[in-house]
Amino acid sequence: MDRLKINGGNQLNGKIYISGAKNAALPLICATLLTDEPVTLTNMPVLSDIRSMNALLTQLGTSINSRDDLINGNPAKSCTYYTPKLESLVAPYDYVRKMRASYYVLGALLAREGYVELSLPGGCAIGVRPMDIHLSSLEQMGAQIEIKNGYVIAKAPQGLKGAHLVFGIASVGATCNVLMAATLAKGHTIIENAAREPEIGDLAEMLNAMGAKISGIGSSKLEIDGVDKLHSATHKIIADRIEAGSYAVAGAITRGRVELINADASTLQTPLNILRQTGVKIENTADSLIVDAKGCDLIGQDIMTDYYPGFPTDLQAQFLTLMLTAEGASMVTETIWENRFMHVPELMRMGANINVHGHASAIVRGVKKLYGAQVMATDLRASFALVLAGLVAEGQTIVNRIYHLDRGYEKLEEKLHAVGADIERIKDEEED
Ligand code: EPU
């Protein structure tokens, strides 16, 4: 397994290009299954999660044509997905186990073919992650669902029908799955307490470009009038707000100045407000976000994660790490996932002063110094937090198990190296 070697202490200065959003791309790829015509996605990030999703779609019968492209003069990928006929209606265990977002094929295949078998994803490092809202919503839309041998078997031989759904939790995944299913259902669907994350808006915009009739985009009440057929479209994936937020912290924690090209500040308002309150200067230009912490003495801030537009759970670990370099104490509260402080014990090994209370809250006290160490994390965002700590630590940090990072951060070490970080990937077989 590859590792990252980081020699801490360099200030980061310069431009970082923000890729297309992983968490938008994954449901968008599955939405291409709703039509027998080709759909092109541009600004596609190059990540192992995207490769896993592409492998699943190939297995279902999709042909994928991927090519190099330029977005605002920067290299990117465009992919055309074409599924004239489905060869399989099964999402097998080996695919879902690698990447739980495979469950986005549920809504799409059920809507198009009236049948799907999906290996039920289990829990993961950050939480139990049930699918009850996805399944009960599809049942309310007329699907018959049973769980057998670890698989969800969903049938709707007469097609799905519109329903008035009220979500108990504003789940991102359930909103995407139901949205896809409702586009081809007969009649009108209402989703109340829908998730409002920008990635859902992106999915709804593409579905409308394919001929769907979705209104209320960006709000917590989505209304969908089912149509008989969806068609071809070309869609540009939004910029990754979590990648942008992660690099904003990289600039701030090293007291540097980074310009995040292609970042969309409108999707990051709550985390940017926190950064401003710590003392970091933030500036927006037409196509970038400038984060300037040069000469700043940061002041610790309290953070509580919440559904969008609240503070994103996917930036909690990174901001918690930033607070270690700020003056005073910060209380960090996690409300979305029940086990998302796995980075804390590793940060403690680097000299952090953090007190976790139960599963939900942590008191983070600013420390004079962090010290390099061998560390590893059990999820994507926690792994980035360890990279951040390595960037400011005295001495050398080795981040192990970086396959987590490869799932969600395109060209991580190249992007950081280009702005001044002393960071290097050590291949599995190489000597340290
Ligand atoms: N939940 C239920 N029942 C359900 C669905 C969700 O109880 O049927 C609970 C979950 O257990 C969790 C909460 O509701 O406690 C929110 O879950 P949600 O469904 O919104 O999350 P998700 O769709 O599984 C996506 C992102 C996560 C991100 C969350 C929250 C993707 C592929 N994943 O997960 O991203 O943390 O939304 O914003 O979009 C990451 O990128 O590192 C990551 C974990």
Side-chain angles (χ1 to χ4, degrees):
M1 270 188 248
D2 294 358
R3 292 168 290 161
L4 284 177
K5 180 166 82 180
I6 304 165
N7 290 310
N10 291 5
Q11 191 182 63
L12 302 190
N13 289 298
K15 295 184 180 187
I16 301 178
Y17 180 78
I18 300 304
S19 301
K22 165 183 88 84
N23 288 349
L26 294 169
L28 287 169
I29 292 172
C30 293
T32 69
L33 291 169
L34 286 161
T35 175
D36 57 6
E37 297 183 15
V39 176
T40 298
L41 294 172
T42 68
N43 202 28
M44 178 66 78
V46 179
L47 299 167
S48 63
D49 268 8
I50 301 297
R51 280 192 290 277
S52 303
M53 189 62 94
N54 285 350
L56 172 60
L57 263 78
T58 304
Q59 187 267 151
L60 297 174
T62 306
S63 64
I64 304 171
N65 176 3
S66 165
R67 61 207 167 276
D68 293 329
D69 205 352
L70 283 180
I71 299 274
N72 299 340
N74 288 284
K77 287 267 176 218
S78 287
C79 298
T80 300
Y81 294 83
Y82 181 36
T83 319
K85 188 171 160 287
L86 283 146
E87 305 292 341
S88 162
L89 296 175
V90 182
Y93 176 71
D94 274 345
Y95 292 87
V96 183
R97 145 183 98 74
K98 271 199 211 131
M99 192 197 38
R100 31 181 317 118
S102 310
Y103 65 34
Y104 284 133
V105 302
L106 179 65
L109 293 182
L110 192 59
R112 176 164 163 184
E113 297 291 319
Y115 188 88
V116 55
E117 290 181 24
L118 169 81
S119 172
L120 198 54
C124 77
I126 60 176
V128 179
R129 307 189 82 164
M131 281 192 73
D132 53 320
I133 301 168
H134 306 234
L135 301 183
S136 68
S137 301
L138 293 170
E139 276 178 336
Q140 289 174 71
M141 295 173 74
Q144 299 145 25
I145 293 182
E146 58 176 334
I147 312 278
K148 222 173 165 180
N149 306 117
Y151 277 72
V152 177
I153 301 173
K155 297 175 198 165
Q158 312 305 325
L160 293 168
K161 56 182 180 13
H164 188 157
L165 307 166
V166 182
F167 284 1
I169 295 173
S171 156
V172 172
T175 305
C176 290
N177 245 331
V178 172
L179 199 53
M180 285 189 250
T183 57
L184 292 180
K186 289 185 193 81
H188 190 67
T189 299
I190 300 175
I191 312 175
E192 297 208 50
N193 197 24
R196 288 190 283 161
E197 271 67 4
E199 293 76 20
I200 288 157
D202 204 32
L203 173 64
E205 298 288 358
M206 184 177 87
L207 290 169
N208 276 352
M210 292 167 70
K213 293 203 169 116
I214 302 169
S215 58
I217 298 175
S219 79
S220 57
K221 184 172 178 183
L222 292 170
E223 300 204 39
I224 307 109
D225 280 311
V227 295
D228 290 340
K229 207 171 166 3
L230 295 179
H231 54 70
S232 168
T234 295
H235 178 82
K236 181 181 165 199
I237 300 168
I238 54 169
D240 195 317
R241 65 193 167 101
I242 304 301
E243 189 197 24
S246 302
Y247 287 122
V249 177
I253 204 167
T254 62
R255 305 301 189 262
R257 183 184 186 278
V258 290
E259 185 172 355
L260 307 173
I261 310 294
N262 210 28
D264 179 357
S266 72
T267 61
L268 279 164
Q269 289 188 11
T270 308
L272 292 181
N273 281 341
I274 299 271
L275 271 185
R276 276 192 200 97
Q277 285 158 13
T278 61
V280 174
K281 292 185 240 15
I282 309 281
E283 199 189 313
N284 288 328
T285 70
D287 71 338
S288 76
L289 174 66
I290 298 168
V291 177
D292 186 356
K294 283 196 167 177
C296 289
D297 289 324
L298 303 193
I299 303 153
Q301 299 297 321
D302 293 348
I303 295 166
M304 186 182 316
T305 65
D306 204 347
Y307 300 97
Y308 189 84
F311 189 93
T313 172
D314 294 342
L315 286 175
Q316 179 259 103
Q318 300 88 318
F319 273 68
L320 177 149
T321 308
L322 176 67
M323 295 310 161
L324 287 168
T325 69
E327 223 173 88
S330 316
M331 178 151 130
V332 179
T333 307
E334 172 61 51
T335 68
I336 307 292
W337 299 112
E338 57 275 28
N339 193 26
R340 213 171 198 187
F341 284 120
M342 298 297 280
H343 36 291
V344 168
E346 295 300 289
L347 290 170
M348 304 276 275
R349 298 183 53 251
M350 298 177 74
N353 182 347
I354 305 169
N355 215 333
V356 178
H357 298 250
H359 291 291
S361 289
I363 298 286
V364 182
R365 293 188 172 84
V367 289
K368 286 208 169 59
K369 250 184 200 169
L370 292 170
Y371 298 92
Q374 287 252 13
V375 286
M376 71 165 79
T378 44
D379 86 275
L380 169 61
R381 310 304 171 184
S383 301
F384 197 95
L386 299 178
V387 171
L388 291 169
L391 290 174
V392 284
E394 183 177 291
Q396 193 169 88
T397 296
I398 304 284
V399 183
N400 291 291
R401 280 204 199 151
I402 58 166
Y403 62 83
H404 290 298
L405 289 166
D406 292 334
R407 297 182 62 175
Y409 289 95
E410 181 173 358
K411 297 189 181 144
L412 171 102
E413 67 273 24
E414 281 141 79
K415 289 186 184 187
L416 284 172
H417 188 259
V419 291
D422 183 347
I423 183 168
E424 187 190 340
R425 180 179 290 250
I426 307 164
K427 293 275 178 203
D428 195 14
E429 69 276 8
E430 281 175 26
E431 269 302 296
D432 182 1

